[in-house]
Amino acid sequence: MAAIAFGCSSFALLRPKQNDAAPEPLLCAQNFSLLRLKQSLRSCASPARWRSIGVPRASVEVVDDRLIEREENERVRVLRVGVICGGPSAERGISLNSARSVLDHIQGGDIHVNCYYIDTDLNAFAISPAQVYSNTPADFDFKLASLAQGFESLSDFAEHLAASVDIVFPVIHGKFGEDGGIQELLEKYKIPFVGTGSSECCQAFDKYNASLELSRQGFITVPSCLIQGSEADESELSKWFARNQLDPKSGKVVVKPTRAGSSIGVTVAYGLADSLSKANAVITEGIDSRVLVEIFLEGGSEFTAIVLDVGSGLDCHPVVLLPSEVELQFHGSVDVTEKDAIFNYRRKYLPTQQVAYHTPPRFPIDVIESIREGASRLFQKLGLRDFARIDGWFLPQSIHVTSSSDSKFGRTEMGTILFTDINLISGMEQTSFLFQQASKVGFSHSNILRSIIRHACVRYPNLASFGSVSDYAPRRSKTSLLNEAVHNCKGTRKVFVIFGGDSSERQVSLISGTNVWLNLQAFDDLEVIPCLLAPTTGDSSNEVDVSSRTVWSLPYSLVLRHTTEEVLDACTEAIEPDRVALTSQLRNRVVQNLMEGLKKHSWFTGFDITDEPPLKLTVEQWIKLAKEAQATVFLAVHGGIGEDGTLQSLLEAEGIPHTGPGVMASKICMDKLATSLALNHLSDLGVLTINKDLRRKEDLLSTPIGNVWHDLISKLQCETICVKPARDGCSTGVARLCCAEDLSVYVKALEDCVLRIPPNSLSKAHGTIEMPNPPPELLIFEPFINTDNIIVSRNENGHQILWSGQSRWVEITVGVIGKQGSMSSLSPSITVRESGDILSLEEKFQGGTGINLTPPPSSIISNEALQRSKRRIEIIANTLELEGFSRIDAFVNVDSGEVLIIEVNTVPGMTPSTVLIHQALAEEPPMYPHQFFRTLLDLALERSI
């Protein structure tokens, strides 16, 4: 039986023996007292063999191509894994995110990763791991010819794989990845791979064919109509509307491509004409030639479930983890079409308050068990392998779904369960459903990915040795203040990573904090504790004393959420007795199901996550604990009290080291006007500032818009104006105003406290403008700086950069790092907007969106001008007395290297796709994310000594 052994470092669930019985249920951790909490903070060092300070455990050296040297001079065989990403679908950016996550969590020890990329034309390339950290494929598409090893054909690529890797892990989402394309290629060349076979992928990926097969296998399915060919058939669709008693003028349906992957091209339609129009759009836009029209499941709740195969050899033993309920949320007044919205691509992959997840679902326990039973049966019936994600709906008893047979699976006393989508290669971003659900039952990111790979190895005789005893032993992830230690040991350095807050950048802050937390776990001399600074509940954070604000210490699974509000709700749920009891009961069942299969695998060395409750503290208590633990605080709170010097002041008053600049530098840089005033004496050194006009919101609301506009253009001597909050983070509330009418729209948005200004609401085309909430009291107006568009285009000769260069100015963003007075500039990135004139929050921080050119191409700026601009960036950093690290946004003249400052961010975005990572990787030698964040941490500690 698996047993938990607590010791000086961390626990390991001991490897189960072949004939072990099912394990005892994992018990929910008790709510420890603050006293016990303090005791745990004083203890727990890593084992002696891990005690190489500052050295990540992922650091390995490949010897003789297949062997690594361990400290004990023991030679261990290395499994060579080929990770393939990209592909032709619209999800290729998400595929890059998944590949990055897989690389982060499996590389090292007894696994070595080779990275590969497929472009939109199905050309294959071997790429460096550094390229996987690009924001989008477009970031490096135009550099592939010079930086990557290309293959003449897919056949040549397959021959290379056969000689260079032991097993392939495809992470291509959508076409060529989940439709059987890449699998067929690998099967042809007898290359082992993770996941389902080609023919089974082909059937399951096609939503219409999968629905037919599900019906044949006895599952209730959603009534649907297939439209195919060059144009939709109105007569057939009209008959289908009539059969399903749908109003031809207003009947609500879902229109989706049958073979476009996750949520691509999925829309809601109303009536026959709208359905035909949207189906034809899918066809004419080339998304798919086959379109499915389904009835809209009114009143239903959507869910998604990860299925993990733990069988031996060719025997399938699927176990469904704890499913997640997908709840669409709506804030403020929205129209009917918004309320009828679906879980689309934006809601699935971008941090938005429009959706929340509940794991497990808020369904009756019998319904949850029926979902698990049905998804397991579906996995087997469709011949799936290793893992998959299965989506569906639960409809309460009051909602009837027509079915040809009452005996079909899915009917329960509480309602109806329908399975609608099968995802053969589930998304593997850091907070994806795979990791959310796996962490709930005891798997860390690394452990679940390695388990999937090891299970796949068992199928292939030549990889049998890799499917036997593993040399990888998962250690307990030390992620919560609630870790109880038996021995009082020294040697582990405590790190409190804090994120969240009130600002409009709080969702980016969550992504940043999560990324820092996961990367710092690579170091065995660190105990990294994620902490959420909870949003305030009042109208303004200024009404709440900072020291009495709430901080939650989070266990592993609660960090893996998409929004701070979702984390906060999960914390509340995690200490609610009935919810705790339900979750514990379901978790124990899942763990027992898993162990029935896993105990037969000698490679499975145990779970490494325990379920612990979160701990609620005040900021004052949290700081006191940080001081007692001699912790270093890694600040990832963007905007608000995290960036204006408030948190810095509280920490410095108690002598607690923290990352980033100190109090005064933070205060100055948070205030865009103060930043400009602090630098306006540097013009002779080539550092320029932009004229600014400061206005109060109440004055804008009470003064005629026409008068305000004419006063602004007169004072600023310009025709086009840029407006931004005076003391908020980057991109939030930033807009280009071309006329008084634009100003009127913007001021109205402030007055109505809207969360976002919809695309193209102003006179010049633009994307969604995220607005601060609550609206800022002070706003800055400044001349809009025109730069020439940079376009990454594609033609028969490949990708190229198009830039007219008439204005001679380009927008850059650049990280600075070091000690106060000697800050160094990293290589700047030229930022390329995908729409409008202002970079959106998504383009800056969300993987799969936005384009950054790092380092700047010589075709745009010469090396001499680039070096001059870097020296000026360093002057800015040292003048502002920055330290640790910060990010500076500016315009640069490509001829002179003069710098026109935009703003300085003292707690910059640290998401997996941030430009700071790209710039660190552009250094010589490249600095990978875990090394970069460790450097920032060490800088914080050095200045406190």
Side-chain angles (χ1 to χ4, degrees), residues 693-706:
D693 188 278
L694 186 68
R695 304 268 169 150
R696 296 182 62 84
K697 182 188 70 173
E698 61 185 46
D699 294 336
L700 294 173
L701 295 176
S702 61
T703 308
I705 291 297

PDB file of all heavy atoms in Angstrom, residues 693-706:
ATOM      1  N   ASP A 693      -0.600  66.391 -20.076  1.00  0.00           N
ATOM      2  CA  ASP A 693      -1.605  67.255 -19.455  1.00  0.00           C
ATOM      3  C   ASP A 693      -2.435  66.388 -18.508  1.00  0.00           C
ATOM      4  O   ASP A 693      -3.028  65.388 -18.932  1.00  0.00           O
ATOM      5  CB  ASP A 693      -2.504  67.898 -20.513  1.00  0.00           C
ATOM      6  CG  ASP A 693      -3.427  68.946 -19.913  1.00  0.00           C
ATOM      7  OD1 ASP A 693      -4.481  68.561 -19.353  1.00  0.00           O
ATOM      8  OD2 ASP A 693      -3.109  70.133 -19.997  1.00  0.00           O
ATOM      9  N   LEU A 694      -2.438  66.753 -17.226  1.00  0.00           N
ATOM     10  CA  LEU A 694      -3.124  65.956 -16.202  1.00  0.00           C
ATOM     11  C   LEU A 694      -4.529  66.499 -15.971  1.00  0.00           C
ATOM     12  O   LEU A 694      -4.711  67.705 -15.759  1.00  0.00           O
ATOM     13  CB  LEU A 694      -2.320  65.999 -14.900  1.00  0.00           C
ATOM     14  CG  LEU A 694      -2.800  65.114 -13.753  1.00  0.00           C
ATOM     15  CD1 LEU A 694      -2.613  63.640 -14.094  1.00  0.00           C
ATOM     16  CD2 LEU A 694      -2.040  65.462 -12.472  1.00  0.00           C
ATOM     17  N   ARG A 695      -5.534  65.626 -15.995  1.00  0.00           N
ATOM     18  CA  ARG A 695      -6.927  66.031 -15.781  1.00  0.00           C
ATOM     19  C   ARG A 695      -7.605  65.109 -14.768  1.00  0.00           C
ATOM     20  O   ARG A 695      -7.351  63.906 -14.733  1.00  0.00           O
ATOM     21  CB  ARG A 695      -7.712  65.952 -17.096  1.00  0.00           C
ATOM     22  CG  ARG A 695      -7.123  66.750 -18.241  1.00  0.00           C
ATOM     23  CD  ARG A 695      -7.696  68.136 -18.315  1.00  0.00           C
ATOM     24  NE  ARG A 695      -6.976  68.983 -19.240  1.00  0.00           N
ATOM     25  CZ  ARG A 695      -7.522  69.987 -19.929  1.00  0.00           C
ATOM     26  NH1 ARG A 695      -8.816  70.250 -19.768  1.00  0.00           N
ATOM     27  NH2 ARG A 695      -6.789  70.726 -20.741  1.00  0.00           N
ATOM     28  N   ARG A 696      -8.506  65.704 -13.982  1.00  0.00           N
ATOM     29  CA  ARG A 696      -9.293  64.932 -13.038  1.00  0.00           C
ATOM     30  C   ARG A 696     -10.523  64.376 -13.742  1.00  0.00           C
ATOM     31  O   ARG A 696     -11.130  65.049 -14.583  1.00  0.00           O
ATOM     32  CB  ARG A 696      -9.716  65.786 -11.846  1.00  0.00           C
ATOM     33  CG  ARG A 696      -8.551  66.286 -11.011  1.00  0.00           C
ATOM     34  CD  ARG A 696      -9.046  67.087  -9.811  1.00  0.00           C
ATOM     35  NE  ARG A 696      -9.851  66.251  -8.930  1.00  0.00           N
ATOM     36  CZ  ARG A 696      -9.346  65.457  -7.993  1.00  0.00           C
ATOM     37  NH1 ARG A 696      -8.036  65.365  -7.835  1.00  0.00           N
ATOM     38  NH2 ARG A 696     -10.142  64.743  -7.216  1.00  0.00           N
ATOM     39  N   LYS A 697     -10.905  63.176 -13.365  1.00  0.00           N
ATOM     40  CA  LYS A 697     -12.096  62.565 -13.967  1.00  0.00           C
ATOM     41  C   LYS A 697     -13.327  63.425 -13.750  1.00  0.00           C
ATOM     42  O   LYS A 697     -14.135  63.624 -14.672  1.00  0.00           O
ATOM     43  CB  LYS A 697     -12.313  61.164 -13.376  1.00  0.00           C
ATOM     44  CG  LYS A 697     -13.509  60.419 -13.975  1.00  0.00           C
ATOM     45  CD  LYS A 697     -13.819  59.128 -13.240  1.00  0.00           C
ATOM     46  CE  LYS A 697     -14.371  59.402 -11.856  1.00  0.00           C
ATOM     47  NZ  LYS A 697     -14.842  58.169 -11.174  1.00  0.00           N
ATOM     48  N   GLU A 698     -13.478  63.958 -12.553  1.00  0.00           N
ATOM     49  CA  GLU A 698     -14.686  64.744 -12.253  1.00  0.00           C
ATOM     50  C   GLU A 698     -14.756  65.998 -13.114  1.00  0.00           C
ATOM     51  O   GLU A 698     -15.846  66.449 -13.483  1.00  0.00           O
ATOM     52  CB  GLU A 698     -14.726  65.096 -10.771  1.00  0.00           C
ATOM     53  CG  GLU A 698     -13.563  65.921 -10.282  1.00  0.00           C
ATOM     54  CD  GLU A 698     -13.584  66.142  -8.776  1.00  0.00           C
ATOM     55  OE1 GLU A 698     -13.819  65.157  -8.037  1.00  0.00           O
ATOM     56  OE2 GLU A 698     -13.347  67.280  -8.341  1.00  0.00           O
ATOM     57  N   ASP A 699     -13.578  66.564 -13.457  1.00  0.00           N
ATOM     58  CA  ASP A 699     -13.571  67.736 -14.343  1.00  0.00           C
ATOM     59  C   ASP A 699     -13.988  67.355 -15.758  1.00  0.00           C
ATOM     60  O   ASP A 699     -14.683  68.124 -16.444  1.00  0.00           O
ATOM     61  CB  ASP A 699     -12.190  68.376 -14.360  1.00  0.00           C
ATOM     62  CG  ASP A 699     -11.805  68.968 -13.013  1.00  0.00           C
ATOM     63  OD1 ASP A 699     -12.720  69.291 -12.225  1.00  0.00           O
ATOM     64  OD2 ASP A 699     -10.598  69.078 -12.735  1.00  0.00           O
ATOM     65  N   LEU A 700     -13.552  66.177 -16.197  1.00  0.00           N
ATOM     66  CA  LEU A 700     -13.944  65.714 -17.532  1.00  0.00           C
ATOM     67  C   LEU A 700     -15.445  65.478 -17.609  1.00  0.00           C
ATOM     68  O   LEU A 700     -16.083  65.732 -18.638  1.00  0.00           O
ATOM     69  CB  LEU A 700     -13.195  64.428 -17.879  1.00  0.00           C
ATOM     70  CG  LEU A 700     -11.671  64.541 -18.051  1.00  0.00           C
ATOM     71  CD1 LEU A 700     -11.062  63.148 -18.211  1.00  0.00           C
ATOM     72  CD2 LEU A 700     -11.333  65.413 -19.253  1.00  0.00           C
ATOM     73  N   LEU A 701     -16.024  64.976 -16.514  1.00  0.00           N
ATOM     74  CA  LEU A 701     -17.459  64.681 -16.504  1.00  0.00           C
ATOM     75  C   LEU A 701     -18.309  65.946 -16.424  1.00  0.00           C
ATOM     76  O   LEU A 701     -19.463  65.959 -16.877  1.00  0.00           O
ATOM     77  CB  LEU A 701     -17.787  63.767 -15.322  1.00  0.00           C
ATOM     78  CG  LEU A 701     -17.170  62.359 -15.339  1.00  0.00           C
ATOM     79  CD1 LEU A 701     -17.511  61.604 -14.061  1.00  0.00           C
ATOM     80  CD2 LEU A 701     -17.657  61.581 -16.546  1.00  0.00           C
ATOM     81  N   SER A 702     -17.749  67.015 -15.872  1.00  0.00           N
ATOM     82  CA  SER A 702     -18.553  68.229 -15.647  1.00  0.00           C
ATOM     83  C   SER A 702     -18.317  69.330 -16.674  1.00  0.00           C
ATOM     84  O   SER A 702     -19.020  70.337 -16.674  1.00  0.00           O
ATOM     85  CB  SER A 702     -18.257  68.782 -14.239  1.00  0.00           C
ATOM     86  OG  SER A 702     -16.887  69.119 -14.115  1.00  0.00           O
ATOM     87  N   THR A 703     -17.336  69.161 -17.539  1.00  0.00           N
ATOM     88  CA  THR A 703     -17.008  70.190 -18.533  1.00  0.00           C
ATOM     89  C   THR A 703     -17.458  69.744 -19.914  1.00  0.00           C
ATOM     90  O   THR A 703     -17.318  68.567 -20.262  1.00  0.00           O
ATOM     91  CB  THR A 703     -15.480  70.433 -18.552  1.00  0.00           C
ATOM     92  OG1 THR A 703     -15.026  70.696 -17.224  1.00  0.00           O
ATOM     93  CG2 THR A 703     -15.121  71.606 -19.448  1.00  0.00           C
ATOM     94  N   PRO A 704     -18.014  70.650 -20.731  1.00  0.00           N
ATOM     95  CA  PRO A 704     -18.407  70.281 -22.097  1.00  0.00           C
ATOM     96  C   PRO A 704     -17.242  69.641 -22.855  1.00  0.00           C
ATOM     97  O   PRO A 704     -16.123  70.165 -22.840  1.00  0.00           O
ATOM     98  CB  PRO A 704     -18.826  71.618 -22.716  1.00  0.00           C
ATOM     99  CG  PRO A 704     -19.262  72.457 -21.555  1.00  0.00           C
ATOM    100  CD  PRO A 704     -18.349  72.057 -20.420  1.00  0.00           C
ATOM    101  N   ILE A 705     -17.527  68.516 -23.495  1.00  0.00           N
ATOM    102  CA  ILE A 705     -16.473  67.747 -24.168  1.00  0.00           C
ATOM    103  C   ILE A 705     -15.762  68.583 -25.226  1.00  0.00           C
ATOM    104  O   ILE A 705     -14.535  68.523 -25.372  1.00  0.00           O
ATOM    105  CB  ILE A 705     -17.063  66.464 -24.789  1.00  0.00           C
ATOM    106  CG1 ILE A 705     -17.486  65.496 -23.687  1.00  0.00           C
ATOM    107  CG2 ILE A 705     -16.052  65.796 -25.718  1.00  0.00           C
ATOM    108  CD1 ILE A 705     -16.350  64.989 -22.821  1.00  0.00           C
ATOM    109  N   GLY A 706     -16.523  69.374 -25.968  1.00  0.00           N
ATOM    110  CA  GLY A 706     -15.910  70.196 -27.015  1.00  0.00           C
ATOM    111  C   GLY A 706     -14.874  71.147 -26.465  1.00  0.00           C
ATOM    112  O   GLY A 706     -13.795  71.323 -27.044  1.00  0.00           O
TER     113      GLY A 706
END
